[in-house]
Amino acid sequence: MTGTPRGNTGPANGSANGSANGSTNGSASGPASGPASGPAARRSDASRSAILTAARERFAADGYERATIRAIAKDARIDPSMVMRYFGSKDGLFAAAVTLDLRLPDVSEVPHTEVGHALVSHFLDIWEANEELTAMLRVAVTNPAGRERLQDVFREQVVPVAARVCPDPEQVVTRAGLCAAQLMGLALTRYVVRLAPVVALAREEVLAWLGPTVQRYLTAPSP
């Protein structure tokens, strides 16, 4: 009677210890942890993506000051604490959500006399398809962080384009600034303020009016 239990407990303890040790030391830390971390990582990526999408829409619609972490979290269907966990603050969220690459065309491949037309056409394309520009413009009007971001975009992306075609290297920044004033003025009136006469302009009309003006800023002799 007593021999049988002892005989049974040996293998039981051995298999229990072996499986426990194997699962904790081997399979759990190796193959078992892979599948567990995969779904978690995907959920994290999905949460971040949902937050960023909701933030872009809120910043575009409400501006920086009125857009709240709570409203963004509600739009993303996620707890507000998760927004703070991923991005730390509203400034951090804005910096992550509104990262602008204007994808400006390579003007070295554009005829010299058509650069203005090409730039206006490109800006119309991205404004029509990308709410981040509208969000940036709204925020830049009222918030220092937004202004700094827009200034970075100007320095890093617009100035180099002007440098390729400007006849006087000393006027590159001035001419780039005039181009930005024209294009940002168009964006403000057409997409943010939605001034009726500007909104009513067909694409071809905008190109016909602004293309030559931007071209003049870039390549005309200094007045």
Side-chain angles (χ1 to χ4, degrees):
M1 297 287 296
T2 57
T4 303
R6 285 176 186 171
N8 290 342
T9 56
N13 290 339
S15 63
N17 291 340
S19 60
N21 291 340
S23 62
T24 57
N25 297 336
S27 59
S29 61
S33 62
S37 62
R42 286 193 291 273
R43 285 195 298 272
S44 177
D45 289 343
S47 296
R48 286 177 61 90
S49 178
I51 293 167
L52 291 173
T53 297
R56 292 186 189 106
E57 292 174 355
R58 275 287 169 182
F59 286 132
D62 298 345
Y64 182 88
E65 301 299 337
R66 291 177 56 200
T68 66
I69 293 293
R70 186 173 296 278
I72 291 167
K74 182 179 179 181
D75 292 344
R77 298 182 180 180
I78 200 166
D79 191 271
S81 64
M82 296 299 291
V83 180
M84 302 303 290
R85 174 184 171 186
Y86 287 127
F87 302 102
S89 65
K90 189 162 79 166
D91 281 348
L93 175 58
F94 179 78
V98 186
T99 54
L100 291 177
D101 180 3
L102 299 180
R103 302 183 303 280
L104 294 175
D106 183 357
V107 294
S108 64
E109 300 179 0
V110 177
H112 193 71
T113 57
E114 297 179 15
V115 173
H117 184 282
L119 287 179
V120 176
S121 178
H122 178 77
F123 268 84
L124 285 173
D125 287 342
I126 60 175
W127 267 316
E128 296 289 349
N130 188 345
E131 290 188 344
E132 289 184 48
L133 273 172
T134 305
M136 177 65 72
L137 199 56
R138 285 180 181 274
V139 173
V141 172
T142 59
N143 180 263
R147 285 197 293 274
E148 289 176 8
R149 180 60 59 84
L150 201 57
Q151 288 167 1
D152 288 342
V153 170
F154 170 75
R155 282 191 299 267
E156 297 168 6
Q157 301 183 45
V158 179
V159 171
V161 172
R164 286 183 173 270
V165 295
C166 176
D168 184 349
E170 294 184 359
Q171 295 181 334
V172 166
V173 175
T174 298
R175 289 174 181 254
L178 290 169
C179 291
Q182 195 73 44
L183 293 167
M184 293 302 169
L186 170 66
L188 183 65
T189 54
R190 187 174 174 92
Y191 301 107
V192 178
V193 178
R194 298 194 62 80
L195 196 62
V198 182
V199 173
L201 287 171
R203 176 189 177 88
E204 293 74 17
E205 292 177 296
V206 175
L207 287 170
W209 281 106
L210 266 66
T213 301
V214 172
Q215 181 71 39
R216 180 171 65 86
Y217 287 152
L218 288 170
T219 61
S222 179

